[in-house]
Amino acid sequence: MAYLRPVDLAQEHGISPQTVRNYEREGFLPPAERSATGYRRYTERHAAALRAYLAVVPAHGYAEGGTIMRAVTEGRLDDALAAVDRSHAELLRDRGTLEAVGEVLAHLRKRARGSAWHAPRTTQPFTSGELAHRLGVSVATLRAWERAGVLVPGRRPGTDHRTYDADDVRDAELAHFLRRGRHPLKLIATVVRQVRTAGDTQALEAALEDWRQRVTARGTAMLRAAALLSDCLAVEGDSPTGPRDRTSTPTTPTAPTGTGARPP
């Protein structure tokens, strides 16, 4: 069997031999055999694991990527696949939120062109009953939106009654619009937070485009990681298919777009 040194694995990816040793210590690579003189002896199994890890990190994040590779090297295939599935589910949720933000942006543009929506004429905050009447929903519905984080009403001094200013009315209008599209409250709360943070449609549009690019980049990274994980599993003997022909190699992992690639 041909053995590889840490420097041999490191040179393929432009990293240091010590980094390779650190990855092994963290469990991202299988434990290496030692020569009679104590030197590590790596094999193609370790090379495939390193390629997989360096692809997994941009796709799934450092934490989840580590979870995946530890499970692979320890022979816990189902645990590794479950971690991959979690990331895919997270990305799918992000795509759903992107779609909802896009709908809101189009809705806000329509308002700006003079549609039927008008900000409250009064400078006095709305009560729960007044806002419910404006939207044609029940007060109980407003309470449900508040519990979900969609609305954050103020409180009237002395009575502690809820009050809704113009921004709250806008948020409630957007929530009502998205509920008609059958979007879940958890997603609507995320969208409304983005609108509050952006402040105007131009800022929201810029944030949406940046977020869309990051979601696309993460999806592409997941495809690459899946291919190299398949190669790794084939070497480990856990894959029903043979190793894939490798035409290129990943680079050192960069900041993950996964865990932490949250809505802007």
Side-chain angles (χ1 to χ4, degrees), residues 52-53 55-68 80-90 218 221-226 229 256-260:
Y53 176 66
V56 161
V57 168
H60 302 279
Y62 283 101
E64 201 74 284
T67 296
I68 291 167
L81 295 177
V84 171
D85 290 345
R86 284 194 295 271
S87 286
H88 280 284
E90 180 181 71
R218 188 182 180 195
M222 283 182 173
L223 288 176
R224 180 173 183 77
L229 271 173
T257 58
T259 310

Side-chain angles (χ1 to χ4, degrees), residues 158-173:
T159 64
D160 205 36
H161 290 165
R162 292 170 176 81
T163 61
Y164 302 86
D165 61 18
D167 287 343
D168 295 322
V169 174
R170 176 206 62 200
D171 294 345
E173 292 266 352

